[in-house]
Amino acid sequence: MAEQPILEIKHVSKSFAGNAVLRDISLPINKGEVHALVGENGAGKSTLMKIIGGILPADGGEIFFNGQAVRFENPMQALDAGISIVHQELSLAQNLTVAQNIYFRREITDSLGFIRKDAMANAARQVFKRIGVDIDPNVLIGRLSIGMQQLVEIAKAVSLDAKVIIMDEPTSSLSESETSHLFNLIRELVRNNVTIIYISHKISEVMELSHRVSVLRDGLLACSSLTSEITTEEIIHHMVGRELGNLYPPKGKNIGDTIMSCQKLSRHGFFRNVTFDLRKGEILGFYGLVGSGRTEVAMAMVGATPITSGEIRLDGRVVRFKNPRQAIGNGICYLTEDRKVLGLFLSMSVRLNATASILGRISNRLGFLRSDNMRHKSSELGDYMGVTPKNDIIDIINLSGGNQQKVLLGKWILTNPRVLIVDEPTRGVDVGAKSLIHAKIRELADKGMSVIMITSEMPECLGMSDRVAVFREGDLITVLDNPGDPEMQKNIMSYAVK
Amino acid sequence: MDKQSLLARCRHFLTDGIGAQHLTLIILIVLISTLMQFFFPLFLDPLNVETLLMNFFPEIIVSIGMTMVIITGGIDISVASVYAFAEIIVAKAMVEAGWDIVPATLFTLFLCCLIGLMNGYLADILSVHPMIVTMGTLLTLRGVNLAITDGRAVSGYSDAFAFLGQGHLWFFPIPILVAIVLAIIFGYLLNNHRYFRQIYFIGGNEKAARVSGVNVRWVKVSVYVICSFLAGLAGVLGASKYGAAHWGHGNMMEMKAIAAVAVGGANLNGGSGSIGATMLGVCFLAIVNNAFYIARVETFWYDVVNGGMLVLAVAFSLYVNHRNEIKLINQKIRASNRVEMEANQ
């Protein structure tokens, strides 16, 4: 390639709280190409894009833009240089018009500083004409579909005269016709010498659209190749090709009969016709990429969100929980992935947090709490889960993430559930807490509890689950038996992507 | 309890913002009382103490309910007109309809509970901020109070009813006795009953409370019912104490009750607060108020001090929150260092 790359990433690395997310990434991006970036959840794609776009600083390495070393302090500098990001979660103001959003921060004004709405609308119309889109610039953003909003984001980038547009999972919430429209637009932009960096989970899209594809795995660049010279199978191999250590407890020994089953469970707009059985004493992994509907299924199973159709059977009986309280009453608990929002009472003590779901069992017949019972249960939990510090009257906010998670898991164990659904149980916890949580979950399963384990981490999924249910875009694709050998990875991944 | 844990608790109480705030409040109350006693020896005279408390008994009762509402993260500013409404209804039932004390009182309290039910239900169903819902109730009910009385006072009830608000049991005026008993009962319940414990969970993190199996809607609605019930009870006692019911009685009571809760150190975003702390808050307001009367300071200045105290109290809470956040950040840094060390080993 004679021409120098428009964007060159050299030896970039980044870590969060001691965990390396990017390790020495070097990657040239050529002018006027669609460069696809693929990888598992947490492979580092989004982090890399944030570093290029000036949202995060890199720990080390350099970025060259048009041959010059650049270091963007904030997204505005990146924008001014000509690098725009179209985020997965759109960053448009819902209560402003299309034109106001496109010209946000650079409103067209008269000499007194008053905004000239008509001029702004006209300018927006010009941009839309250039990219062949028909949107009324005076309409409120909130009234547009997600697909249309995405087009507005791209129009905004075009109006900023962006040389490089980074798209993060742009099709994750688009319909098929919207997707094909977007692809046409991307091809049009590339003809005009704009460079597109296209982040996606969907390998079929990547194969169709991109000129070059790079695969990230665990923060490393696993491969970078012309799309025409690589197959889907090879991409998947690069995404998951890693060895598994003996980090995980042995598989389940005494797995019994089905105790809970979901039949054609649907929630409109989130998941469709999800059917599976859960057996006594097994750990059923839910694997899928972010947004594949796993958490939504779990929330619906415990009655936290409604079900549109389908049924849940518990011991053969049809049950329908109106709220989590009824689910807990039937021995079904859900450990959230979102500790801060759905799990912890941050301003309260460890003891109160630990006993929040067993108020009934620590109070007498009239409902008065027995403080000795409470103290006893709380310290029982602390000992079992190895929570440090042992002092349980301090506010839980003072505990580390791993210890907070131990308390939350312990809180559900105290309710003695029959079915425990754990959602990303080891996210954001340290190595020691992680293996302890794994060991405890397996121990409980061996004692007869059934566990559903939602995880986005392939090694954890392989290492822990007896069977794996693979989700993709709101569908349960298949349930696979999991012997735990590394070959399973490609098998699972090939169902989860495409 | 072993010694170490007791010690830890004491240290926790002193270093914890809320404990420190209570201590500050107690010291202030003692300080003001001592100074006042020194300059105006009548200050701690039983008669003055009784006046002091009698002036504030409706606020004591109302702020108990307000504490619970605020712990859930809500607010109820309709209490002032519920108070006046209860005065008027109980008076009208006896004077104009000729009912006995007991049915008149029960009927009044029942109506007040219905108002609370409406407040709580509307705030929950429509998911409108309770401030707006209860403001609607405040204004509507004040209009109702005016309309059904033509703006005049209602009076002329029996001596037996007057005893409720004016009589004494041993040495204690009955309204104060009622207020103290209610404070003790609800204070105990809030600390020791599973149902009331749920109020804290809801205020601390409503979504997490729901996932933990708390019936959030029911508990929230019931708290508004209790709050309106207590305002109504204060109104019944007030009608008896003043010997007349008037739509203007209890005006601005909601602000005093909220101020008492805030001065007591509760977080207005919910999750913390206690009846004991609120009682300290009411005591503080009552003493400052009384000090103004005794010292014959222009009472116009009273609101200035009240307002200033409120701002100071809130500023103190914010400072404490801020300090906790810093603590959290430091702890995070320590945790991440630990992870790195483990990784290096």
Side-chain angles (χ1 to χ4, degrees):
Chain A
M1 187 99 22
E3 214 175 338
Q4 83 175 116
I6 185 159
L7 193 67
E8 190 155 20
I9 299 155
K10 280 190 176 164
H11 308 295
V12 164
S13 56
K14 174 80 188 169
S15 48
F16 291 116
N19 294 321
V21 179
L22 294 175
R23 306 162 203 244
D24 195 24
I25 301 278
S26 295
L27 186 65
I29 313 274
N30 296 318
K31 193 167 188 176
E33 71 176 4
V34 176
H35 194 125
L37 204 56
V38 297
E40 270 191 286
N41 304 317
K45 301 169 302 214
S46 295
T47 309
L48 183 58
M49 291 307 106
K50 283 179 181 161
I51 288 171
I52 296 174
I55 299 171
L56 289 173
D59 291 348
E62 290 175 295
I63 294 171
F64 291 88
F65 183 56
N66 273 332
Q68 287 180 323
V70 288
R71 193 165 200 111
F72 302 124
E73 304 280 330
N74 56 48
M76 296 308 165
Q77 289 179 3
L79 278 177
D80 293 341
I83 299 177
S84 283
I85 301 188
V86 178
H87 287 279
Q88 196 171 355
E89 290 98 18
L90 300 171
S91 53
L92 297 168
Q94 298 292 309
N95 289 320
L96 296 181
T97 66
V98 169
Q100 284 165 345
N101 266 292
I102 291 180
Y103 288 100
F104 179 67
R105 218 177 58 92
R106 24 178 209 126
E107 288 81 0
I108 302 171
T109 59
D110 61 22
S111 51
L112 289 175
F114 288 100
I115 292 170
R116 292 180 52 210
K117 286 186 182 156
D118 46 338
M120 244 159 69
N122 280 332
R125 244 176 238 120
Q126 294 296 324
V127 177
F128 286 138
K129 214 170 182 180
R130 237 170 85 201
I131 61 173
V133 178
D134 183 30
I135 296 176
D136 178 1
N138 290 315
V139 109
L140 289 184
I141 283 291
R143 306 282 287 277
L144 298 177
S145 70
I146 298 291
M148 296 290 247
Q149 293 188 27
Q150 199 119 45
L151 296 179
V152 173
E153 281 262 29
I154 294 168
K156 184 175 172 180
V158 170
S159 80
L160 278 162
D161 211 16
K163 303 286 183 292
V164 176
I165 301 179
I166 301 169
M167 299 187 186
D168 192 359
E169 300 284 348
T171 59
S172 58
S173 42
L174 296 195
S175 68
E176 238 167 81
S177 69
E178 284 173 326
T179 302
S180 75
H181 193 151
L182 177 72
F183 283 9
N184 287 334
L185 178 52
I186 290 174
R187 292 191 183 104
E188 178 64 34
L189 289 170
V190 169
R191 263 196 292 281
N192 289 323
N193 245 339
V194 176
T195 308
I196 309 280
I197 302 178
Y198 189 91
I199 302 178
S200 184
H201 286 320
K202 299 177 188 167
I203 297 187
S204 57
E205 284 182 0
V206 169
M207 297 304 281
E208 181 187 338
L209 189 66
S210 68
H211 303 111
R212 186 173 272 277
V213 54
S214 297
V215 182
L216 287 183
R217 183 180 72 230
D218 299 334
L220 287 165
L221 184 65
C223 98
S224 183
S225 145
L226 283 175
T227 311
S228 52
E229 292 170 358
I230 195 166
T231 64
T232 306
E233 286 68 34
E234 284 169 323
I235 293 177
I236 290 176
H237 175 81
H238 285 298
M239 282 167 78
V240 297
R242 64 165 89 75
E243 300 294 314
L244 290 177
N246 280 333
L247 295 163
Y248 295 93
K251 299 284 175 195
K253 292 181 286 281
N254 34 15
I255 292 171
D257 298 329
T258 299
I259 73 159
M260 191 178 191
S261 69
C262 290
Q263 302 291 331
K264 299 202 163 201
L265 216 56
S266 299
R267 182 179 173 208
H268 190 69
F270 294 91
F271 54 87
R272 290 169 298 273
N273 292 333
V274 169
T275 300
F276 66 92
D277 292 335
L278 179 66
R279 297 176 302 192
K280 188 172 162 65
E282 79 168 336
I283 297 177
L284 175 62
F286 273 18
Y287 186 82
L289 300 166
V290 170
S292 55
R294 298 162 301 161
T295 297
E296 287 76 9
V297 171
M299 296 279 270
M301 282 173 72
V302 297
T305 53
I307 297 167
T308 333
S309 64
E311 61 181 29
I312 301 170
R313 283 170 182 274
L314 187 61
D315 299 326
R317 242 175 349 105
V318 176
V319 288
R320 183 150 216 170
F321 306 125
K322 283 200 225 99
N323 50 46
R325 196 164 50 94
Q326 292 180 352
I328 295 166
N330 281 282
I332 299 166
C333 295
Y334 170 67
L335 173 66
T336 177
E337 63 170 332
D338 199 343
R339 277 203 294 277
K340 289 262 151 60
V341 174
L342 285 175
L344 298 169
F345 303 99
L346 281 173
S347 61
M348 298 187 189
S349 68
V350 174
R351 188 180 294 175
L352 284 178
N353 271 283
T355 53
S357 289
I358 53 161
L359 292 179
R361 278 198 287 131
I362 54 171
S363 50
N364 66 17
R365 223 173 294 157
L366 292 172
F368 286 96
L369 296 165
R370 299 192 38 195
S371 57
D372 51 335
N373 262 346
M374 205 165 140
R375 193 166 61 239
H376 182 73
K377 283 287 175 197
S378 171
S379 69
E380 185 184 314
L381 177 156
D383 292 344
Y384 183 68
M385 295 301 299
V387 178
T388 50
K390 278 199 174 285
N391 179 358
D392 65 352
I393 60 167
I394 60 169
D395 288 350
I396 198 157
I397 195 167
N398 296 315
L399 261 54
S400 69
N403 281 302
Q404 288 176 349
Q405 188 72 348
K406 287 184 201 168
V407 173
L408 283 185
L409 179 59
K411 160 183 154 182
W412 291 121
I413 295 172
L414 282 180
T415 70
N416 249 335
R418 305 176 57 201
V419 176
L420 178 64
I421 306 173
V422 290
D423 197 349
E424 306 286 0
T426 59
R427 176 181 288 173
V429 311
D430 53 281
V431 187
K434 190 168 177 171
S435 68
L436 183 127
I437 288 169
H438 285 153
K440 291 298 175 193
I441 289 176
R442 177 51 78 189
E443 186 181 322
L444 292 164
D446 284 341
K447 281 183 190 158
M449 187 185 294
S450 305
V451 178
I452 292 177
M453 183 169 194
I454 301 175
T455 172
S456 297
E457 219 183 285
M458 181 64 91
E460 181 173 79
C461 179
L462 285 176
M464 287 299 295
S465 37
D466 297 309
R467 291 187 303 154
V468 182
V470 187
F471 286 76
R472 186 175 75 216
E473 292 167 29
D475 291 311
L476 196 164
I477 305 295
T478 182
V479 181
L480 305 165
D481 282 318
N482 176 28
D485 60 68
E487 276 310 295
M488 276 298 291
Q489 301 182 64
K490 283 181 223 169
N491 205 349
I492 293 172
M493 186 53 88
S494 63
Y495 283 109
V497 293
K498 299 260 162 100
Chain B
M1 195 187 308
D2 55 303
K3 248 186 200 161
Q4 208 164 17
S5 139
L6 192 69
L7 223 96
R9 272 183 175 222
C10 289
R11 191 161 34 185
H12 181 245
F13 180 80
L14 289 177
T15 51
D16 182 51
I18 299 303
Q21 190 163 358
H22 296 167
L23 212 61
T24 319
L25 210 50
I26 293 170
I27 291 170
L28 268 178
I29 289 172
V30 172
L31 203 72
I32 294 173
S33 306
T34 323
L35 279 175
M36 286 303 292
Q37 179 66 17
F38 185 71
F39 290 111
F40 305 93
L42 278 180
F43 187 74
L44 290 180
D45 188 86
L47 213 65
N48 186 49
V49 172
E50 186 182 324
T51 317
L52 182 157
L53 288 175
M54 275 304 270
N55 277 336
F56 264 80
F57 88 82
E59 279 79 4
I60 299 178
I61 297 178
V62 167
S63 65
I64 294 170
M66 189 68 78
T67 308
M68 288 189 261
V69 173
I70 285 178
I71 294 172
T72 65
I75 200 152
D76 185 353
I77 58 173
S78 72
V79 287
S81 59
V82 173
Y83 173 87
F85 178 74
E87 272 197 357
I88 290 165
I89 295 298
V90 77
K92 273 185 170 285
M94 288 185 301
V95 177
E96 289 172 21
W99 290 17
D100 254 351
I101 296 175
V102 175
T105 305
L106 290 181
F107 177 66
T108 306
L109 294 179
F110 173 69
L111 287 188
C112 291
C113 288
L114 283 187
I115 295 166
L117 193 66
M118 202 183 65
N119 278 341
Y121 212 62
L122 283 181
D124 193 79
I125 289 274
L126 304 178
S127 47
V128 179
H129 196 285
M131 168 87 98
I132 302 301
V133 172
T134 56
M135 189 189 290
T137 311
L138 176 79
L139 298 177
T140 316
L141 211 56
R142 182 161 291 157
V144 168
N145 293 342
L146 260 167
I148 60 177
T149 59
D150 291 326
R152 284 192 289 272
V154 186
S155 60
Y157 23 74
S158 65
D159 287 349
F161 184 68
F163 179 75
L164 262 186
Q166 297 164 15
H168 287 64
L169 217 57
W170 302 295
F171 296 105
F172 295 106
I174 290 175
I176 294 173
L177 215 54
V178 171
I180 291 173
V181 168
L182 283 173
I184 291 172
I185 290 176
F186 279 102
Y188 184 76
L189 286 176
L190 236 56
N191 259 334
N192 294 294
H193 199 278
R194 57 177 289 212
Y195 189 81
F196 290 88
R197 173 61 47 80
Q198 300 183 110
I199 294 176
Y200 287 93
F201 287 133
I202 291 174
N205 185 344
E206 187 170 325
K207 285 180 183 164
R210 192 171 126 80
V211 176
S212 297
V214 173
N215 192 336
V216 173
R217 168 175 296 175
W218 173 235
V219 175
K220 270 169 89 175
V221 170
S222 69
V223 162
Y224 284 91
V225 172
I226 293 172
C227 188
S228 286
F229 170 83
L230 290 173
L233 187 64
V236 170
L237 292 171
S240 162
K241 180 201 158 195
Y242 296 117
H246 188 261
W247 66 273
H249 283 172
N251 206 358
M252 295 299 280
M253 174 184 284
E254 73 281 4
M255 291 305 156
K256 286 184 202 154
I258 295 167
V261 178
V263 171
N267 182 346
L268 289 185
N269 293 325
S272 72
S274 72
I275 303 291
T278 298
M279 290 303 112
L280 282 180
V282 186
C283 276
F284 179 76
L285 295 182
I287 282 174
V288 171
N289 172 292
N290 189 265
F292 272 79
Y293 280 105
I294 296 284
R296 306 203 181 190
V297 180
E298 196 67 78
T299 45
F300 301 132
W301 288 102
Y302 167 65
D303 282 340
V304 176
V305 172
N306 243 356
M309 281 300 156
L310 189 60
V311 172
L312 279 181
V314 172
F316 189 81
S317 308
L318 281 179
Y319 164 73
V320 168
N321 277 347
H322 182 67
R323 214 180 49 174
N324 279 346
E325 254 163 51
I326 291 175
K327 220 195 287 178
L328 180 70
I329 291 166
N330 287 340
Q331 163 246 315
K332 282 249 165 85
I333 292 171
R334 249 178 287 134
S336 78
N337 287 345
R338 208 161 42 230
V339 170
E340 242 163 280
M341 269 164 55
E342 272 164 25
N344 290 338
Q345 273 163 15

